[in-house]
Amino acid sequence: KYSYIINSSPPMADTMSADKGGKDPAETGYARLLPSSGDKGADQKAEAPVPYQFWNLALLGLTFSLAQSTVSGHLTVSPLVVDDLGYSNISTLPVFAVDVGAMVSAWFIGWVMRKQGRRAGFLLGEFAGMLACLTCAGALYLNSLALLTIGGFLLGIWSAAAYYARFVAGDVVSERLKGRAVSWVLVGSSICASAGPVLATRTSTVLPRQFMAFYLIAAILALVSMIVAFLMKLPNHRHRHPAEAEAGGGG
């Protein structure tokens, strides 16, 4: 990426050394490091606006926020539910299940995104999130700790998929916006994370079973998140390393 310009007029000491049988002045001339002409085109290409970058960024922030608000609501509600069921000594078990689900599924979701595209990974997590919320609602209806734990595990899968929005945000914008794009997604999701506990509190007595309404609404939010994933203008082909993409062309 850089070209070296050899000075045609070397210092006097180099000329004298060449007369005494030393190195040729062309070899001892000092070099000046200058950007090659190809770098200008690369810089212009890097600064070129990416199509739909702000559209994708807004939708990525939305899908991440929906997942974060649901998970934060579950982390608030589930210990209270388990305590009401009479298992106060293991009241954080559904919370632990969320972490386990995220840890187990993170690699697999990344593999799906690499092979089938980013949209497929998001949809997989959001579908698991919808099943998680319905399972938790059923757990409240049946007073089942096992179902609530399973729902927490499935919710962890949604959380793991949603966290990939941070990395995708840096891939769908121009080089100039990469750092700020990730920050925007994280800040937006952090603000919306407080909506989950608020929603759970405000809807706790809407249905006869306490907090069941929250999980049913969260299932609808997961469905909305799936629609958002379809609206993203993401590439449909699998993710490839830039060197591989350049060697293989488009696709």
Side-chain angles (χ1 to χ4, degrees):
K1 293 185 177 180
Y2 294 90
S3 59
Y4 292 87
I5 308 300
I6 306 297
N7 187 8
S8 59
S9 300
M12 183 62 69
D14 293 341
T15 306
M16 294 174 64
S17 64
D19 294 338
K20 295 180 180 180
K23 295 183 178 181
D24 185 76
E27 299 179 5
T28 58
Y30 60 89
R32 194 153 51 99
L33 187 62
L34 293 177
S36 62
S37 59
D39 287 345
K40 295 181 180 180
D43 292 340
Q44 293 175 356
K45 183 179 180 180
E47 292 299 327
V50 177
Y52 304 105
Q53 59 179 357
F54 292 107
W55 172 261
N56 287 327
L57 197 58
L59 294 183
L60 286 169
L62 177 59
T63 188
F64 193 24
S65 299
L66 292 175
Q68 285 291 91
S69 60
T70 302
V71 172
S72 63
H74 174 78
L75 298 182
T76 303
V77 166
S78 58
L80 300 177
V81 173
V82 176
D83 188 62
D84 289 341
L85 293 177
Y87 301 97
S88 57
N89 55 332
I90 53 172
S91 60
T92 58
L93 182 60
V95 175
F96 175 70
V98 175
D99 295 331
V100 174
M103 179 182 64
V104 171
S105 62
W107 179 87
F108 178 72
I109 292 174
W111 179 84
V112 171
M113 287 188 174
R114 187 170 63 251
K115 294 297 183 180
Q116 303 297 329
R118 301 178 181 94
R119 192 193 319 276
F122 285 129
L123 289 174
L124 175 62
E126 289 151 1
F127 181 72
M130 185 173 62
L131 288 181
C133 296
L134 293 176
T135 301
C136 290
L140 296 181
Y141 183 77
L142 299 174
N143 294 326
S144 173
L145 175 61
L147 284 180
L148 191 63
T149 304
I150 294 173
F153 180 87
L154 294 174
L155 200 58
I157 299 176
W158 187 15
S159 177
Y163 266 101
Y164 275 97
R166 301 175 300 169
F167 309 109
V168 177
D171 293 336
V172 299
V173 298
S174 61
E175 290 289 337
R176 184 173 56 87
L177 296 176
K178 279 186 181 295
R180 282 180 289 178
V182 178
S183 300
W184 290 340
V185 172
L186 289 177
V187 169
S189 63
S190 299
I191 295 174
C192 293
S194 59
V198 173
L199 178 63
T201 303
R202 295 295 179 86
T203 61
S204 60
T205 58
V206 172
L207 296 178
R209 299 284 182 172
Q210 191 178 25
F211 299 121
M212 181 182 290
F214 163 73
Y215 285 108
L216 293 178
I217 295 174
I220 297 175
L221 295 181
L223 180 61
V224 171
S225 188
M226 294 178 69
I227 298 174
V228 169
F230 278 111
L231 294 177
M232 294 179 189
K233 305 295 183 180
L234 300 177
N236 292 323
H237 57 77
R238 68 181 181 89
H239 175 71
R240 295 189 294 179
H241 189 274
E244 180 185 354
E246 183 178 354

